[in-house]
Amino acid sequence: MVCVLMRFVSFVWYCTSTAVAESSINQIGFTTPPSTGAAPSWDAIIEVGGSQQFVSEGRYYECHSLKGVEPGTKIAFERVLGTKAGDTPTWGHPYVKGARVEATVLENYDDKKVIVFKYRPKKHYRKKNGHRQAMTRFLVTKVVKA
């Protein structure tokens, strides 16, 4: 039995019982549920669109827009940070030599709109702006491990 005291507007006291894994309370004060299920499987870690992604063959992923790439184009990601064959990972310093991830671009699209609202209280200053990030969806067809 785990009892947690949380404070929002007033004090709330509640008790929960967990059998498998403990949940945690994050910095804001909300309860974070424990992760359930098996660990995610991956074949490679690539650097694409300004971020790192765990990828595996046969799955599709989204990243920030890859300029000048049309749908149906085959691309290869040479910036592979790590690969995994079986249970043993291979890490690069910074990249794994000879490893690459081949993919096919499925579509270029605009992500959901994010509203940016700026204001200064008591000054009659209000600015509302929207932003839709250009994204690319690609299908990983092959992971070449070094």
Side-chain angles (χ1 to χ4, degrees):
M1 178 83 63
V2 176
C3 295
V4 180
L5 177 66
M6 296 178 64
R7 182 176 176 261
F8 294 109
V9 176
S10 62
F11 288 101
V12 178
W13 178 265
Y14 70 96
C15 295
T16 59
S17 63
T18 56
V20 179
E22 292 287 327
S23 60
S24 62
I25 297 178
N26 61 18
Q27 295 173 347
I28 302 172
F30 292 106
T31 304
T32 305
S35 57
T36 58
S41 64
W42 56 277
D43 292 332
I45 305 170
I46 61 173
E47 203 175 276
V48 56
S51 64
Q52 300 170 1
Q53 290 190 348
F54 288 81
V55 297
S56 44
E57 275 185 37
R59 299 194 63 189
Y60 70 87
Y61 301 91
E62 288 99 13
C63 68
H64 291 291
S65 179
L66 302 174
K67 303 239 185 228
V69 180
E70 296 297 322
T73 307
K74 301 211 181 283
I75 54 176
F77 300 109
E78 303 288 334
R79 293 182 173 188
V80 179
L81 301 168
T83 60
K84 186 166 83 169
D87 290 336
T88 59
T90 304
W91 307 109
H93 302 285
Y95 304 116
V96 179
K97 290 190 171 145
R100 72 180 185 279
V101 174
E102 296 175 0
T104 303
V105 176
L106 298 177
E107 65 175 327
N108 294 321
Y109 66 99
D110 288 338
D111 207 7
K112 292 181 186 175
K113 182 174 276 192
V114 176
I115 303 297
V116 180
F117 187 75
K118 300 193 287 188
Y119 80 101
R120 302 212 188 273
K122 304 178 204 165
K123 302 296 179 193
H124 298 289
Y125 176 80
R126 309 273 191 270
K127 293 229 184 222
K128 182 180 177 185
N129 199 358
H131 174 73
R132 293 188 68 173
Q133 180 67 42
M135 302 290 281
T136 299
R137 180 173 288 136
F138 59 92
L139 173 72
V140 175
T141 55
K142 186 178 179 186
V143 175
V144 179
K145 300 169 182 160

